[in-house]
mmCIF file of all heavy atoms in Angstrom:
data_model
loop_
_atom_site.group_PDB
_atom_site.id
_atom_site.type_symbol
_atom_site.label_atom_id
_atom_site.label_comp_id
_atom_site.label_asym_id
_atom_site.label_seq_id
_atom_site.Cartn_x
_atom_site.Cartn_y
_atom_site.Cartn_z
ATOM 1 N N ALA A 50 -3.521 -16.087 -20.114
ATOM 2 C CA ALA A 50 -2.305 -15.967 -19.266
ATOM 3 C C ALA A 50 -2.049 -14.493 -18.953
ATOM 4 O O ALA A 50 -2.275 -13.625 -19.782
ATOM 5 C CB ALA A 50 -1.120 -16.556 -20.045
ATOM 6 N N PRO A 51 -1.583 -14.209 -17.743
ATOM 7 C CA PRO A 51 -1.262 -12.839 -17.381
ATOM 8 C C PRO A 51 -0.026 -12.325 -18.134
ATOM 9 O O PRO A 51 0.821 -13.119 -18.539
ATOM 10 C CB PRO A 51 -0.978 -12.923 -15.886
ATOM 11 C CG PRO A 51 -0.560 -14.306 -15.634
ATOM 12 C CD PRO A 51 -1.325 -15.151 -16.619
ATOM 13 N N GLU A 52 0.035 -11.017 -18.295
ATOM 14 C CA GLU A 52 1.207 -10.425 -18.893
ATOM 15 C C GLU A 52 2.397 -10.551 -17.936
ATOM 16 O O GLU A 52 2.199 -10.705 -16.735
ATOM 17 C CB GLU A 52 0.958 -8.940 -19.186
ATOM 18 C CG GLU A 52 -0.074 -8.697 -20.274
ATOM 19 C CD GLU A 52 -0.269 -7.227 -20.558
ATOM 20 O OE1 GLU A 52 0.365 -6.430 -19.844
ATOM 21 O OE2 GLU A 52 -1.037 -6.903 -21.455
ATOM 22 N N PRO A 53 3.621 -10.449 -18.443
ATOM 23 C CA PRO A 53 4.798 -10.456 -17.541
ATOM 24 C C PRO A 53 4.749 -9.270 -16.588
ATOM 25 O O PRO A 53 4.243 -8.189 -16.960
ATOM 26 C CB PRO A 53 5.984 -10.351 -18.495
ATOM 27 C CG PRO A 53 5.461 -10.783 -19.822
ATOM 28 C CD PRO A 53 4.026 -10.384 -19.867
ATOM 29 N N LEU A 54 5.226 -9.475 -15.385
ATOM 30 C CA LEU A 54 5.270 -8.382 -14.418
ATOM 31 C C LEU A 54 6.309 -7.329 -14.841
ATOM 32 O O LEU A 54 7.405 -7.698 -15.302
ATOM 33 C CB LEU A 54 5.662 -8.914 -13.031
ATOM 34 C CG LEU A 54 4.548 -9.403 -12.119
ATOM 35 C CD1 LEU A 54 5.166 -10.055 -10.904
ATOM 36 C CD2 LEU A 54 3.621 -8.265 -11.703
ATOM 37 N N PRO A 55 6.021 -6.075 -14.701
ATOM 38 C CA PRO A 55 7.050 -5.062 -14.963
ATOM 39 C C PRO A 55 8.108 -5.136 -13.869
ATOM 40 O O PRO A 55 7.856 -5.564 -12.746
ATOM 41 C CB PRO A 55 6.268 -3.745 -14.912
ATOM 42 C CG PRO A 55 5.106 -4.024 -14.010
ATOM 43 C CD PRO A 55 4.738 -5.477 -14.267
ATOM 44 N N GLY A 56 9.322 -4.660 -14.193
ATOM 45 C CA GLY A 56 10.352 -4.579 -13.183
ATOM 46 C C GLY A 56 10.075 -3.539 -12.172
ATOM 47 O O GLY A 56 9.102 -2.745 -12.299
ATOM 48 N N GLU A 57 10.902 -3.463 -11.138
ATOM 49 C CA GLU A 57 10.664 -2.529 -10.034
ATOM 50 C C GLU A 57 10.576 -1.080 -10.527
ATOM 51 O O GLU A 57 9.623 -0.362 -10.183
ATOM 52 C CB GLU A 57 11.792 -2.628 -8.991
ATOM 53 C CG GLU A 57 11.912 -3.971 -8.369
ATOM 54 C CD GLU A 57 11.072 -4.143 -7.083
ATOM 55 O OE1 GLU A 57 10.011 -3.482 -7.003
ATOM 56 O OE2 GLU A 57 11.514 -4.880 -6.199
ATOM 57 N N SER A 58 11.555 -0.632 -11.309
ATOM 58 C CA SER A 58 11.563 0.750 -11.741
ATOM 59 C C SER A 58 10.413 1.046 -12.706
ATOM 60 O O SER A 58 9.827 2.139 -12.651
ATOM 61 C CB SER A 58 12.901 1.095 -12.404
ATOM 62 O OG SER A 58 13.158 0.248 -13.493
ATOM 63 N N GLU A 59 10.105 0.078 -13.582
ATOM 64 C CA GLU A 59 9.006 0.299 -14.507
ATOM 65 C C GLU A 59 7.679 0.384 -13.771
ATOM 66 O O GLU A 59 6.815 1.206 -14.111
ATOM 67 C CB GLU A 59 8.957 -0.838 -15.544
ATOM 68 C CG GLU A 59 7.878 -0.656 -16.623
ATOM 69 C CD GLU A 59 7.792 -1.834 -17.571
ATOM 70 O OE1 GLU A 59 8.628 -2.741 -17.485
ATOM 71 O OE2 GLU A 59 6.872 -1.829 -18.396
ATOM 72 N N ALA A 60 7.495 -0.478 -12.774
ATOM 73 C CA ALA A 60 6.283 -0.423 -11.962
ATOM 74 C C ALA A 60 6.139 0.902 -11.233
ATOM 75 O O ALA A 60 5.057 1.482 -11.171
ATOM 76 C CB ALA A 60 6.254 -1.602 -10.959
ATOM 77 N N ALA A 61 7.240 1.388 -10.677
ATOM 78 C CA ALA A 61 7.224 2.672 -9.980
ATOM 79 C C ALA A 61 6.875 3.815 -10.924
ATOM 80 O O ALA A 61 6.085 4.716 -10.585
ATOM 81 C CB ALA A 61 8.570 2.921 -9.302
ATOM 82 N N GLU A 62 7.434 3.783 -12.141
ATOM 83 C CA GLU A 62 7.116 4.800 -13.135
ATOM 84 C C GLU A 62 5.642 4.725 -13.571
ATOM 85 O O GLU A 62 4.977 5.744 -13.760
ATOM 86 C CB GLU A 62 8.026 4.650 -14.356
ATOM 87 C CG GLU A 62 9.481 4.993 -14.105
ATOM 88 C CD GLU A 62 9.732 6.483 -14.050
ATOM 89 O OE1 GLU A 62 8.783 7.265 -14.320
ATOM 90 O OE2 GLU A 62 10.872 6.893 -13.739
ATOM 91 N N LEU A 63 5.151 3.503 -13.670
ATOM 92 C CA LEU A 63 3.735 3.297 -14.021
ATOM 93 C C LEU A 63 2.833 3.974 -12.989
ATOM 94 O O LEU A 63 1.869 4.666 -13.306
ATOM 95 C CB LEU A 63 3.429 1.792 -14.037
ATOM 96 C CG LEU A 63 3.125 1.158 -15.407
ATOM 97 C CD1 LEU A 63 3.112 -0.368 -15.245
ATOM 98 C CD2 LEU A 63 1.802 1.612 -15.948
ATOM 99 N N VAL A 64 3.158 3.757 -11.709
ATOM 100 C CA VAL A 64 2.371 4.325 -10.651
ATOM 101 C C VAL A 64 2.444 5.882 -10.694
ATOM 102 O O VAL A 64 1.426 6.571 -10.538
ATOM 103 C CB VAL A 64 2.867 3.828 -9.293
ATOM 104 C CG1 VAL A 64 2.324 4.651 -8.118
ATOM 105 C CG2 VAL A 64 2.461 2.351 -9.118
ATOM 106 N N THR A 65 3.640 6.407 -10.947
ATOM 107 C CA THR A 65 3.793 7.866 -11.000
ATOM 108 C C THR A 65 2.964 8.454 -12.155
ATOM 109 O O THR A 65 2.327 9.488 -11.991
ATOM 110 C CB THR A 65 5.284 8.237 -11.163
ATOM 111 O OG1 THR A 65 6.007 7.746 -10.041
ATOM 112 C CG2 THR A 65 5.457 9.738 -11.233
ATOM 113 N N ARG A 66 2.973 7.773 -13.304
ATOM 114 C CA ARG A 66 2.182 8.261 -14.423
ATOM 115 C C ARG A 66 0.688 8.199 -14.124
ATOM 116 O O ARG A 66 -0.080 9.084 -14.550
ATOM 117 C CB ARG A 66 2.502 7.465 -15.694
ATOM 118 C CG ARG A 66 3.917 7.689 -16.196
ATOM 119 C CD ARG A 66 4.037 7.281 -17.656
ATOM 120 N NE ARG A 66 3.709 5.888 -17.902
ATOM 121 C CZ ARG A 66 4.604 4.908 -17.849
ATOM 122 N NH1 ARG A 66 5.868 5.156 -17.538
ATOM 123 N NH2 ARG A 66 4.236 3.657 -18.107
ATOM 124 N N THR A 67 0.261 7.164 -13.395
ATOM 125 C CA THR A 67 -1.130 7.076 -13.007
ATOM 126 C C THR A 67 -1.534 8.193 -12.102
ATOM 127 O O THR A 67 -2.618 8.776 -12.237
ATOM 128 C CB THR A 67 -1.419 5.696 -12.339
ATOM 129 O OG1 THR A 67 -0.972 4.665 -13.186
ATOM 130 C CG2 THR A 67 -2.902 5.537 -12.040
ATOM 131 N N VAL A 68 -0.667 8.540 -11.150
ATOM 132 C CA VAL A 68 -0.980 9.673 -10.266
ATOM 133 C C VAL A 68 -1.076 10.961 -11.057
ATOM 134 O O VAL A 68 -1.939 11.776 -10.825
ATOM 135 C CB VAL A 68 0.120 9.804 -9.176
ATOM 136 C CG1 VAL A 68 -0.135 11.055 -8.296
ATOM 137 C CG2 VAL A 68 0.127 8.564 -8.292
ATOM 138 N N ALA A 69 -0.204 11.140 -12.053
ATOM 139 C CA ALA A 69 -0.236 12.333 -12.883
ATOM 140 C C ALA A 69 -1.575 12.435 -13.594
ATOM 141 O O ALA A 69 -2.151 13.539 -13.711
ATOM 142 C CB ALA A 69 0.912 12.319 -13.859
ATOM 143 N N VAL A 70 -2.104 11.327 -14.106
ATOM 144 C CA VAL A 70 -3.421 11.323 -14.750
ATOM 145 C C VAL A 70 -4.497 11.681 -13.722
ATOM 146 O O VAL A 70 -5.409 12.458 -13.990
ATOM 147 C CB VAL A 70 -3.699 9.978 -15.397
ATOM 148 C CG1 VAL A 70 -5.133 9.873 -15.889
ATOM 149 C CG2 VAL A 70 -2.732 9.706 -16.553
ATOM 150 N N LEU A 71 -4.395 11.104 -12.541
ATOM 151 C CA LEU A 71 -5.399 11.338 -11.507
ATOM 152 C C LEU A 71 -5.450 12.791 -11.097
ATOM 153 O O LEU A 71 -6.495 13.343 -10.756
ATOM 154 C CB LEU A 71 -5.119 10.450 -10.321
ATOM 155 C CG LEU A 71 -6.186 10.318 -9.227
ATOM 156 C CD1 LEU A 71 -7.543 9.905 -9.814
ATOM 157 C CD2 LEU A 71 -5.763 9.316 -8.165
ATOM 158 N N THR A 72 -4.283 13.480 -11.104
ATOM 159 C CA THR A 72 -4.294 14.887 -10.699
ATOM 160 C C THR A 72 -5.042 15.754 -11.684
ATOM 161 O O THR A 72 -5.468 16.882 -11.357
ATOM 162 C CB THR A 72 -2.850 15.430 -10.609
ATOM 163 O OG1 THR A 72 -2.211 15.353 -11.886
ATOM 164 C CG2 THR A 72 -2.023 14.662 -9.586
ATOM 165 N N ARG A 73 -5.265 15.263 -12.908
ATOM 166 C CA ARG A 73 -5.987 16.051 -13.883
ATOM 167 C C ARG A 73 -7.490 15.773 -13.895
ATOM 168 O O ARG A 73 -8.237 16.332 -14.681
ATOM 169 C CB ARG A 73 -5.411 15.791 -15.305
ATOM 170 C CG ARG A 73 -3.953 16.179 -15.437
ATOM 171 C CD ARG A 73 -3.516 16.224 -16.878
ATOM 172 N NE ARG A 73 -3.470 14.903 -17.488
ATOM 173 C CZ ARG A 73 -2.385 14.121 -17.483
ATOM 174 N NH1 ARG A 73 -1.283 14.485 -16.838
ATOM 175 N NH2 ARG A 73 -2.402 12.943 -18.068
ATOM 176 N N ASP A 74 -7.908 14.879 -13.004
ATOM 177 C CA ASP A 74 -9.362 14.575 -12.896
ATOM 178 C C ASP A 74 -10.000 15.616 -12.003
ATOM 179 O O ASP A 74 -9.660 15.781 -10.856
ATOM 180 C CB ASP A 74 -9.528 13.181 -12.268
ATOM 181 C CG ASP A 74 -10.956 12.680 -12.361
ATOM 182 O OD1 ASP A 74 -11.888 13.438 -12.078
ATOM 183 O OD2 ASP A 74 -11.158 11.511 -12.733
ATOM 184 N N PRO A 75 -10.989 16.377 -12.525
ATOM 185 C CA PRO A 75 -11.585 17.451 -11.720
ATOM 186 C C PRO A 75 -12.381 16.960 -10.524
ATOM 187 O O PRO A 75 -12.762 17.770 -9.676
ATOM 188 C CB PRO A 75 -12.513 18.134 -12.757
ATOM 189 C CG PRO A 75 -12.823 17.060 -13.775
ATOM 190 C CD PRO A 75 -11.586 16.243 -13.856
#
Side-chain angles (χ1 to χ4, degrees):
E52 293 182 356
L54 273 172
E57 298 271 30
S58 59
E59 184 183 354
E62 290 284 355
L63 249 170
V64 166
T65 299
R66 293 200 300 271
T67 305
V68 176
V70 172
L71 192 54
T72 62
R73 299 194 291 271
D74 192 314

